Amino acid sequence: MVDTGGVAADQLRAFIERVERLEEEKKVIADDIKDVYAEAKGNGFDVKVMRKIVSMRKRKPHEREEEEAVMDLYLHALGMAGPSGDPE
Amino acid sequence: MVDTGGVAADQLRAFIERVERLEEEKKVIADDIKDVYAEAKGNGFDVKVMRKIVSMRKRKPHEREEEEAVMDLYLHALGMAGPSGDPE
Amino acid sequence: MVDTGGVAADQLRAFIERVERLEEEKKVIADDIKDVYAEAKGNGFDVKVMRKIVSMRKRKPHEREEEEAVMDLYLHALGMAGPSGDPE
Amino acid sequence: MVDTGGVAADQLRAFIERVERLEEEKKVIADDIKDVYAEAKGNGFDVKVMRKIVSMRKRKPHEREEEEAVMDLYLHALGMAGPSGDPE
DNA sequence: CCAGTATTTATTCCGC
DNA sequence: GCGGAATAAATACTGG
């Protein structure tokens, strides 16, 4: 499966480097985010509050989706209403 | 700080063993949980739905706490109403 | 909701509550573990290393060896140092 | 709400939106990384080991050595095998 | 038995 | 530097 001496080594190296390149990009963005917070702080805003707002806004749509998913599950589960058979 | 030959080795061993003992107990409980789900499944219930319910119920009080925490933060942050000074 | 549904609902509730009770217990143990690590830290031990040791001891020796073999293979493929010497 | 508060609100909104935009970008990159690992896996590589290699390369060699030194210290304290031979 | 998903664990980061 | 939140990684479970 993996031939250390052959082409697989090149493949492995390529994968690793692609990952590393992407992680670098990700780090740049993370730094940008920090810069935005720093700028906001410089304008008198409370960074902790801002982070809370961002994370709450992130969770909200997620929760809605989850509730809908649970509703779907319930609807599906109605075929198993009780151990002694289904209601209809 | 850590003397491998002295009493610290015993201390280290004691800590490690306490952790391992506790992890064992935790595993027993985890297995018990699995058993409950298995029993429920044997009674015709949909395990996936049950897990969803449990995790949602777990999150609910958490969310309330978080909302209150955000409110506290806001109240505290009111002293910094704008970048050009406070309103009064 | 029909009668069987009502019975099923009670049963479901009971299962859910058993799970929740067990999860609480599990959480208590998890907290105890954290406490032990905190105490160890207070005594000058390196918690990160302790965690690594605990997880090492948990693993089957065979798995560990196998994973290390793959690791060596990959490191060699990448021209990074292995047991037989480093490239520099 | 006074004028400065309104201005502050707009500013705050702008900061929040900038952060959210950047976090979206970050998420895209994170997904790309997952894709690369998935592709590597499809080519027969061991993803777990790949991740370990990536994180090894990220770390400063000095830190790594230091941590390994502590690890050896602890393993010896516990009577577990180190570089100078195993107890069995 | 593999793939995807959900939970749990480990690590990192940030503000205090 | 610590303690706690956020992120990343690893693991476990379920369904196909």
Side-chain angles (χ1 to χ4, degrees), chain D residues 7-56:
Chain D
V7 169
D10 289 343
Q11 232 187 336
L12 178 60
R13 180 191 314 274
F15 281 127
I16 297 279
E17 281 168 7
R18 277 170 68 192
V19 169
E20 286 176 339
R21 178 76 178 78
L22 288 166
E23 293 209 339
E24 251 177 85
E25 287 179 42
K26 190 151 73 84
K27 193 189 183 315
V28 170
I29 313 239
D31 288 344
D32 287 347
I33 291 172
K34 287 193 0 183
D35 289 346
V36 174
Y37 279 123
E39 192 185 338
K41 181 178 185 172
N43 279 271
F45 291 101
D46 184 320
V47 172
K48 188 176 171 184
V49 174
M50 285 180 66
R51 283 183 189 275
K52 282 217 169 117
I53 289 175
V54 169
S55 72
M56 268 182 60

Side-chain angles (χ1 to χ4, degrees), chain B residues 25-88:
Chain B
E25 287 179 42
K26 190 151 71 81
K27 194 188 181 319
V28 171
I29 312 241
D31 288 344
D32 288 347
I33 292 173
K34 291 208 315 196
D35 288 346
V36 174
Y37 278 123
E39 191 185 339
K41 183 176 186 169
N43 280 272
F45 292 101
D46 184 320
V47 173
K48 192 172 176 183
V49 172
M50 288 180 66
R51 285 183 185 277
K52 271 281 190 237
I53 292 172
V54 169
S55 74
M56 280 184 68
R57 281 167 60 117
K58 206 189 307 186
R59 251 197 295 286
K60 271 290 154 60
H62 198 73
E63 286 168 32
R64 268 217 96 61
E65 282 167 37
E66 190 153 62
E67 278 173 35
E68 279 168 33
V70 175
M71 183 174 300
D72 286 346
L73 284 171
Y74 273 123
L75 291 175
H76 172 261
L78 285 186
M80 68 99 221
S84 35
D86 60 316
E88 212 56 49

